[in-house]
Amino acid sequence: AASVLDASGYITARRIATVSSKIPGKVLEVMIEEGQRVTEGEILARLDPSDASAQRALSQSQLASAQSQLAEAQAQLVLADRNLARQRELAAKKLVAASALDAAVADRDSRAAHLQSLQRQVKVARDGVDISELGVDNTVIRAPFTGVIVAKAAQPGEMISPISGGGGSIRTGIGTLVDMDSLEVQVDVNEAYIGRVQPKMPVEAVLNAYPEWKIPAEVIAIVPTADRSKATVKV
């Protein structure tokens, strides 16, 4: 069939990302190069984990301390329960004053409340360990999806941050990753001819580098705004 419209454009990727870290830090190792294909979850770089590892060690020590205090409180509660049972037996036989039984009950209840408090402290300490583990994991930068590295932006020893620090002294990314399976052709269609283009319309794309390769395609989307300076619409 005859061509309805001829238009020129360029190839771009719908899925492209500048890969950075979730936390600021010093780059320890970079394991990517331009043109390298990586898979989702693959390690691209590592940051210096010294601070995060120290925080994890501190959290683990706090958890161990809380657990030892909990074990001691559990033993004391068992002893208080036994003492209360003996006091009740003696009180039933009228061998001790009522105040001694009341004191045993109060001691047992106090130790039970202290045990519950320590159980909550152990939970908080365990959550702190989980958070510190996440901090260590954040020093490892992984690929968010499968693709090809098209730009390497950082070297070992440089500082990196997800937010620009200004002045160009802090990098905001390790590299740029492109999903080559999401490539598409963008063309600028003159607004006078945009009426000829419809969604899902079949397209035959030809690349300048491979003029004999007729690539079957279709219209994915028509951007609903026009470029005022060029009087074109992106398709």
Side-chain angles (χ1 to χ4, degrees):
S3 172
V4 174
L5 177 67
D6 293 334
S8 61
Y10 52 91
I11 298 176
T12 184
R14 181 174 291 267
R15 199 178 187 192
I16 183 171
T18 298
V19 184
S20 184
S21 61
K22 294 175 63 176
I23 58 173
K26 180 184 291 186
V27 179
L28 183 66
E29 185 180 11
V30 179
M31 293 167 282
I32 57 172
E33 294 294 340
E34 287 89 347
Q36 179 180 340
R37 178 171 291 276
V38 298
T39 58
E40 182 178 353
E42 183 176 342
I43 297 177
L44 307 182
R46 298 180 187 272
L47 303 184
D48 185 358
S50 301
D51 294 342
S53 297
Q55 182 61 50
R56 179 177 60 182
L58 176 61
S59 299
Q60 290 173 340
S61 297
Q62 291 173 339
L63 175 60
S65 176
Q67 288 174 333
S68 63
Q69 293 178 19
L70 178 61
E72 180 182 357
Q74 288 172 335
Q76 291 177 349
L77 180 59
V78 171
L79 182 61
D81 283 333
R82 292 175 180 175
N83 182 52
L84 177 59
R86 286 194 299 268
Q87 292 297 327
R88 282 174 174 167
E89 290 177 359
L90 294 174
K93 298 177 182 179
K94 306 296 184 180
L95 298 178
V96 295
S99 59
L101 177 60
D102 293 340
V105 172
D107 181 62
R108 189 268 179 195
D109 292 343
S110 175
R111 294 189 183 281
H114 183 57
L115 178 64
Q116 291 181 351
S117 176
L118 289 176
Q119 287 174 337
R120 288 192 291 269
Q121 290 181 21
V122 168
K123 183 181 183 304
V124 171
R126 188 172 288 111
D127 291 341
V129 171
D130 292 340
I131 293 174
S132 64
E133 290 284 359
L134 183 61
V136 173
D137 185 66
N138 285 338
T139 63
V140 180
I141 303 174
R142 295 179 172 85
F145 52 83
T146 299
V148 176
I149 301 295
V150 297
K152 179 181 178 181
Q155 298 291 340
E158 291 185 315
M159 293 298 296
I160 188 173
S161 173
I163 303 176
S164 176
S169 60
I170 298 180
R171 300 286 186 180
T172 56
I174 289 292
T176 303
L177 179 63
V178 173
D179 181 4
M180 290 301 181
D181 292 332
S182 69
L183 295 182
E184 61 187 24
V185 178
Q186 287 189 6
V187 298
D188 291 325
V189 178
N190 189 293
E191 64 178 2
Y193 306 121
I194 193 62
R196 303 180 185 180
V197 183
Q198 301 296 329
K200 302 294 184 179
M201 176 182 288
V203 176
E204 186 176 77
V206 180
L207 307 181
N208 292 337
Y210 304 96
E212 303 301 323
W213 185 17
K214 310 297 183 181
I215 306 173
E218 68 175 12
V219 176
I220 298 174
I222 303 171
V223 179
T225 56
D227 187 320
R228 296 177 63 182
S229 62
K230 299 189 294 183
T232 59
V233 177
K234 186 175 293 185
V235 176

